[in-house]
Amino acid sequence: MAQWNRLCNLPAVYRQQLDELYDKDVLPMEVRHYLAGWIEEQEWKRAAQDYDLAMVLYQVLLGNLDIQHSRFVHNVAFLQRHNIRRYKQNFQMYEDDPCVLASNILWYLEKEKDILQNADLTDQVHVLQIEQEAMEISSQQDLERKLIGLQNEVQCIKHAMSCLEEQQDEFDFKYQTFKMEVVTDEAVKNEQNKIFQVLINRLNECRKGVLVDLRKHLDKTEELINLLVKKELVEWQRRQQRACIGAPVSVCLEQLEKWFTRVAVCLFQVRDFLDKLDELVGKVSYANDPIKIKKPALQQKTDKLLHDLLKSSFVVESQPSMPQGKGALVLRTNVQFSVKTSMLFLTFYFLPVPMLKYREVPQIKGYRRFNVLGTVTKALNMVESQNGGMVADFRHLTLKEQKSSGGKGSSDISLSVTEELHIICFDTVFQYKDLTVHLQASSLPVVIISNSSQQQSAWASILWFNMISQDTKDVMFFTNCPAATWPQFAEMLSWQFLAAAKRGLTEDQQQMIARKLFGIKQDYDNCNVAWSKFSKENSPDTFWVWFDGILVMVKTFLEDLWREGHIMGFVSKGKEKLLLKKKQSGTFLLRFSESVIGGITFSWVETSLNGEPDVKTVQPFTKVDLMQIPLVEIIRNFQILEAGNIPVNPLVYLYPNTSKEEAFAKYYSEESGDKSPYIKYIKTKLVFVSKENTLEAVSPVSSDVAQGEGLEPITGLCGEVVGQDEDCPFETFPDAPMLCDSLCPDEDFPMCLSGTDPFLYNSLTEDSVLPELSGFQEFISSPTQTCGSTF
């Protein structure tokens, strides 16, 4: 009785499976319930093969039903008494063959164990996936339970088909034997006819029951296919879109493959059942045979469900991508790319050969067209699959543009080269016995470029499409391009950093970008970003060019520092000062330049003579500098001159209060000073040095000094002389490429760097320009010192 008690205490979804299992009178649920203890104690497996034991159990079963019937008499339970009496009468059909009854009861007990095992497995899966979103788990568990129920129903129908076949064989044998016997007695004939009429009626009811079961099963299968195709597959396709632009989501097909395969196998079993019904009708048929009447509709529905399921099971598993591309879906003409297709239905029934095709785009003047070159047909196989699926991996494909006389000049649409979207298609045919299904899979829209200089803007188009579009076949998306909401946009930007350096943007970093885009607001959730603001306005220095420049710099030079959170990155100059002024002297932070593409700078706080905090900033470093000297070495050896011309490193604590050595020491080179491997990159420049007795961080200087008067040449480390006619090392910053109308008042301010021993780090190019220094005074030149000027 322990097994039945466990079943009765399962969650509702499993009790529903139990209810579906016992929806026949072969073993009524009430009999199973009232005789649970006795049923579970018997050796039904042995009784199924031992006639004597089966007969004993059969007789004991009838006796137990009598006992239960008498109990209901005492309790005046009229309905239960009626049901028990009816069940006993039905069981009497096993009097001639009690082994069949034992086999049936054994089958039900095994199915009960399957339900319990599935429940236990679901609990284990729940524990393993506890970190996933609760709603997603609930949805998948519900689908899994429905699949288990569907499979259980197939087993029930299979059992019912076996019973039907046995019953028909019994009738056929008895009827054929009767026809071979010569019976002259009319009374005997009439009696035999009555017996055969009972048998044929029972056979008819059994056939009707099987047909009803098949119809109910197909209804549930249709509901499950809708869940798989219209929900789970669509969600996977959306996840794939997001994964293509850096989202940390799983696009593994293993779970979908299992689901699709299990449903398809059930449908193929139903087709086998229908074929079996045709076989049974061929042996025994009669007027108003329900199989002849209802089977065609069931066959039609089964084939339609298989068609819908299989048609959706052919997908593009890995989207088109170049080995050295910036990301998937950006393809360059005459450069090889690859793409992988997959069948979600794991089967050996067939080995279709997918054929790659280039989908013709709308007939619009100026819209480019391409030919796909390479091996465009390939058989599905399991060798190239990582999870045992059926895949066709197309490699070494190339695109060649179809030249037309019209040219791009005849275009009547406002699409640039990098905004044209194209789709690559794959066709194949599924064929099994008399079932043929044409399958097609389509890639996400790709952008095709002809020059590597277009790659950055092409990737911007891919980001925008896959961030917003729900229609994966909309190649005309950019003719009427929708805006992105700020939450969408911020999430996409964060994914870029997550994909590039395994750490996304914090909320504070996103807020800084939002302020630059929209100004100061209490809430940005209702703000929208237009496509033109992202990639068109202020060309060529668009928002995306500025942001992507930072991404490239981080991925190439600063990945470890970014991943560990040492770079604050996106913080305005004003916010930077507010943060640093609250900290102890020597606290510094790293942030991205708002005006220099792909630039990073650092600022620190000092305490002035009057005790006030003073924030200083160096001019930004770009990839030109970081290719020569790592940022950690710059921070390690950075020095300025204090009173008495004493060089000191003002960078002590990384914001908020981490010691510089704790944060960066593990990245330092083994050698320092004169033995540093970076000494060969160190140059000298003309620098300004404050008087010894001038202790203010910012000192006024006359305009004469700004014009270069009173400056003397400094001898460099390699013996070269930097004369008065050399370009000054300060650079003039361009207008910010951000989406504000004017340069922010808290823009980067320059400072030159000096090294130790006495290294002088120069982060400027040779053609740097000195900005006007009017308003500053009392600066002098020093022919012997190499130090950084402070502002």
Side-chain angles (χ1 to χ4, degrees):
M1 190 169 181
Q3 179 169 309
W4 185 252
N5 285 339
R6 285 188 61 196
L7 288 164
C8 293
N9 290 322
L10 289 177
V13 289
Y14 295 105
R15 293 201 304 272
Q16 181 180 353
Q17 293 178 26
L18 190 65
D19 184 63
E20 292 172 354
L21 180 63
Y22 283 100
D23 64 347
K24 302 288 186 300
D25 283 346
V26 176
L27 178 61
M29 182 180 285
E30 288 179 272
V31 174
R32 176 67 177 94
H33 177 74
Y34 293 127
L35 305 184
W38 178 81
I39 288 176
E40 293 176 21
E41 293 172 357
Q42 309 312 311
E43 298 183 24
W44 299 107
K45 186 173 184 179
R46 185 161 67 91
Q49 300 175 354
D50 187 336
Y51 178 86
D52 294 334
L53 177 59
M55 179 57 71
V56 171
L57 294 179
Y58 167 71
Q59 292 172 349
V60 175
L61 173 63
L62 296 183
N64 286 332
L65 290 177
D66 288 335
I67 294 172
Q68 192 63 44
H69 182 270
S70 63
R71 288 174 180 170
F72 288 135
V73 170
H74 295 158
N75 293 333
V76 198
F78 174 78
L79 183 59
Q80 289 89 337
R81 190 167 67 248
H82 168 78
N83 289 340
I84 291 296
R85 183 170 60 250
R86 182 168 61 86
Y87 298 149
K88 182 182 177 181
Q89 292 173 351
N90 291 341
F91 280 128
Q92 289 175 353
M93 64 181 289
Y94 297 106
E95 182 175 4
D96 294 335
D97 195 354
C99 290
V100 174
L101 174 62
S103 177
N104 288 340
I105 295 178
L106 176 64
W107 185 84
Y108 276 96
L109 292 175
E110 292 299 324
K111 290 303 170 184
E112 289 179 2
K113 291 178 181 178
D114 290 343
I115 294 175
L116 289 173
Q117 289 176 357
N118 290 329
D120 293 339
L121 178 61
T122 302
D123 291 339
Q124 294 172 9
V125 171
H126 177 73
V127 171
L128 293 174
Q129 299 178 343
I130 195 67
E131 296 181 358
Q132 296 184 12
E133 296 182 4
M135 184 176 298
E136 180 181 351
I137 294 175
S138 176
S139 174
Q140 291 186 357
Q141 286 183 340
D142 182 57
L143 194 149
E144 183 68 27
R145 291 168 188 141
K146 289 180 178 180
L147 271 170
I148 293 172
L150 200 69
Q151 291 174 309
N152 287 338
E153 282 186 358
V154 168
Q155 294 303 312
C156 291
I157 296 173
K158 183 178 181 181
H159 180 71
M161 289 291 297
S162 297
C163 293
L164 174 61
E165 186 174 16
E166 290 177 3
Q167 191 172 345
Q168 178 169 311
D169 288 344
E170 177 188 4
F171 168 81
D172 190 43
F173 174 77
K174 291 181 179 180
Y175 185 71
Q176 295 300 331
T177 301
F178 171 72
K179 287 200 303 182
M180 288 187 297
E181 294 177 352
V182 179
V183 179
T184 57
D185 191 338
E186 289 297 327
V188 174
K189 284 185 178 181
N190 291 335
E191 188 65 28
Q192 287 293 337
N193 286 333
K194 289 180 181 179
I195 294 175
F196 288 130
Q197 187 62 53
V198 171
L199 291 176
I200 200 68
N201 289 341
R202 184 182 298 175
L203 180 62
N204 188 64
E205 291 300 318
C206 193
R207 285 186 172 185
K208 286 182 178 179
V210 169
L211 292 168
V212 169
D213 291 344
L214 286 171
R215 180 181 56 79
K216 290 180 179 179
H217 177 79
L218 290 176
D219 289 341
K220 292 180 181 179
T221 303
E222 184 175 21
E223 178 185 347
L224 197 54
I225 290 175
N226 286 334
L227 277 176
L228 282 176
V229 174
K230 298 180 180 179
K231 183 178 183 294
E232 297 297 334
L233 183 59
V234 169
E235 289 180 359
W236 175 83
Q237 290 170 336
R238 182 55 181 157
R239 286 198 303 271
Q240 190 184 52
Q241 273 190 279
R242 293 152 64 91
C244 285
I245 57 174
V249 294
S250 172
V251 292
C252 177
L253 285 172
E254 185 175 0
Q255 187 62 69
L256 278 175
E257 286 171 345
K258 290 179 179 179
W259 287 339
F260 270 75
T261 300
R262 288 161 68 183
V263 175
V265 167
C266 287
L267 284 172
F268 276 108
Q269 286 181 294
V270 170
R271 290 187 101 244
D272 291 341
F273 295 154
L274 295 175
D275 291 342
K276 188 66 177 179
L277 290 177
D278 281 340
E279 180 183 329
L280 293 178
V281 169
K283 294 179 179 179
V284 176
S285 186
Y286 44 87
N288 298 321
D289 189 337
I291 294 179
K292 290 185 176 180
I293 297 173
K294 297 183 179 180
K295 190 259 181 184
L298 294 176
Q299 186 76 58
Q300 184 180 6
K301 185 167 186 177
T302 302
D303 290 347
K304 180 182 182 303
L305 293 178
L306 264 174
H307 179 275
D308 294 343
L309 182 69
L310 294 174
K311 191 173 182 180
S312 302
S313 67
F314 188 41
V315 298
V316 175
E317 179 179 354
S318 297
Q319 294 296 327
S321 62
M322 299 184 297
Q324 304 300 324
K326 189 175 183 65
L329 304 174
V330 175
L331 306 179
R332 183 178 171 183
T333 54
N334 301 317
V335 174
Q336 290 186 349
F337 69 94
S338 62
V339 58
K340 183 190 292 185
T341 62
S342 179
M343 274 293 295
L344 298 179
F345 175 32
L346 308 182
T347 177
F348 294 100
Y349 289 146
F350 73 115
L351 288 174
V353 179
M355 177 176 291
L356 181 149
K357 293 183 178 181
Y358 172 74
R359 175 176 292 179
E360 286 296 326
V361 296
Q363 297 298 315
I364 299 176
K365 292 182 179 179
Y367 205 101
R368 300 180 302 164
R369 289 170 173 78
F370 298 85
N371 293 322
V372 182
L373 307 179
T375 304
V376 296
T377 59
K378 193 168 186 179
L380 287 166
N381 65 85
M382 301 179 69
V383 177
E384 298 172 332
S385 174
Q386 296 180 350
N387 54 16
M390 303 287 290
V391 304
D393 198 353
F394 292 83
R395 304 173 185 175
H396 314 302
L397 301 173
T398 55
L399 292 168
K400 185 175 182 179
E401 186 168 1
Q402 299 176 7
K403 298 299 181 180
S404 59
S405 58
K408 294 189 66 61
S410 62
S411 175
D412 58 356
I413 57 174
S414 57
L415 289 178
S416 70
V417 171
T418 55
E419 289 173 354
E420 293 178 359
L421 299 177
H422 303 260
I423 290 177
I424 298 174
C425 299
F426 302 84
D427 290 334
T428 189
V429 176
F430 175 95
Q431 193 163 8
Y432 176 67
K433 294 183 178 179
D434 60 337
L435 179 67
T436 300
V437 182
H438 294 273
L439 311 179
Q440 185 180 85
S442 300
S443 73
L444 291 172
V446 300
V447 172
I448 303 174
I449 61 176
S450 55
N451 190 287
S452 58
S453 62
Q454 301 169 324
Q455 187 157 323
Q456 187 180 55
S457 56
W459 182 240
S461 300
I462 293 300
L463 289 175
W464 201 262
F465 177 88
N466 290 288
M467 173 179 59
I468 298 175
S469 179
Q470 300 290 332
D471 183 0
T472 58
K473 295 180 175 60
D474 184 11
V475 295
M476 303 307 297
F477 173 82
F478 285 101
T479 58
N480 186 21
C481 186
T485 64
W486 167 247
Q488 282 179 310
F489 189 73
E491 187 177 43
M492 182 271 290
L493 295 182
S494 181
W495 291 341
Q496 305 316 296
F497 271 90
L498 188 64
K502 300 179 177 62
R503 190 171 191 268
L505 300 178
T506 65
E507 186 175 346
D508 288 340
Q509 291 166 337
Q510 293 176 4
Q511 288 291 310
M512 179 269 181
I513 298 174
R515 283 193 293 271
K516 283 296 180 183
L517 288 170
F518 310 113
I520 300 177
K521 295 180 181 293
Q522 290 290 335
D523 184 15
Y524 296 99
D525 286 350
N526 295 323
C527 295
N528 293 325
V529 183
W531 163 244
S532 58
K533 274 198 170 185
F534 176 64
S535 186
K536 292 301 173 185
E537 290 182 3
N538 304 317
S539 183
D541 296 336
T542 65
F543 174 89
W544 170 242
V545 170
W546 170 78
F547 189 86
D548 189 55
I550 294 173
L551 274 173
V552 172
M553 176 183 60
V554 169
K555 183 174 179 61
T556 307
F557 304 106
L558 307 171
E559 183 175 348
D560 292 337
L561 300 184
W562 175 263
R563 185 171 60 250
E564 294 193 11
H566 295 330
I567 300 175
M568 186 170 291
F570 295 99
V571 56
S572 66
K573 187 69 176 176
K575 180 67 176 292
E576 174 192 67
K577 291 180 179 178
L578 290 176
L579 295 175
L580 290 176
K581 285 184 177 181
K582 297 177 183 179
K583 295 297 179 180
Q584 57 185 320
S585 181
T587 301
F588 68 100
L589 58 79
L590 306 172
R591 70 179 180 90
F592 302 130
S593 172
E594 298 176 42
S595 58
V596 177
I597 302 298
I600 188 170
T601 183
F602 55 80
S603 301
W604 72 95
V605 62
E606 294 181 354
T607 303
S608 62
L609 287 179
N610 59 9
E612 294 294 327
D614 188 15
V615 176
K616 297 183 174 64
T617 301
V618 298
Q619 65 188 28
F621 305 96
T622 64
K623 66 178 182 179
V624 175
D625 310 303
L626 300 180
M627 286 175 65
Q628 298 176 347
I629 312 171
L631 182 63
V632 292
E633 293 294 334
I634 296 176
I635 295 172
R636 178 188 187 184
N637 297 295
F638 176 73
Q639 288 189 345
I640 62 173
L641 293 184
E642 288 193 343
N645 286 338
I646 301 174
V648 297
N649 190 326
L651 310 179
V652 182
Y653 306 103
L654 178 65
Y655 185 91
N657 53 12
T658 304
S659 71
K660 179 178 66 178
E661 302 303 319
E662 180 182 348
F664 302 113
K666 63 182 177 181
Y667 301 114
Y668 292 162
S669 64
E670 295 182 1
E671 303 292 343
S672 61
D674 292 332
K675 297 181 180 180
S676 171
Y678 304 105
I679 191 171
K680 63 181 178 180
Y681 299 114
I682 298 171
K683 302 176 183 178
T684 54
K685 286 284 188 177
L686 189 64
V687 295
F688 296 100
V689 182
S690 62
K691 291 182 179 180
E692 282 189 36
N693 59 0
T694 304
L695 302 180
E696 294 84 8
V698 181
S699 302
V701 293
S702 64
S703 58
D704 292 336
V705 175
Q707 299 298 323
E709 296 181 11
L711 300 178
E712 298 179 13
I714 298 176
T715 301
L717 293 177
C718 298
E720 74 271 24
V721 175
V722 184
Q724 289 182 352
D725 58 345
E726 179 165 331
D727 291 337
C728 185
F730 300 112
E731 77 175 322
T732 301
F733 295 98
D735 290 344
M738 307 291 283
L739 305 183
C740 48
D741 293 332
S742 61
L743 189 65
C744 299
D746 58 355
E747 197 40 80
D748 301 313
F749 236 88
M751 165 173 278
C752 288
L753 308 179
S754 70
T756 57
D757 301 304
F759 295 173
L760 177 64
Y761 286 101
N762 171 41
S763 64
L764 302 174
T765 57
E766 294 297 328
D767 58 351
S768 301
V769 181
L770 173 70
E772 294 185 0
L773 300 178
S774 58
F776 295 85
Q777 54 187 333
E778 294 184 15
F779 264 69
I780 64 170
S781 64
S782 170
T784 58
Q785 302 291 337
T786 56
C787 68
S789 60
T790 56
F791 293 85

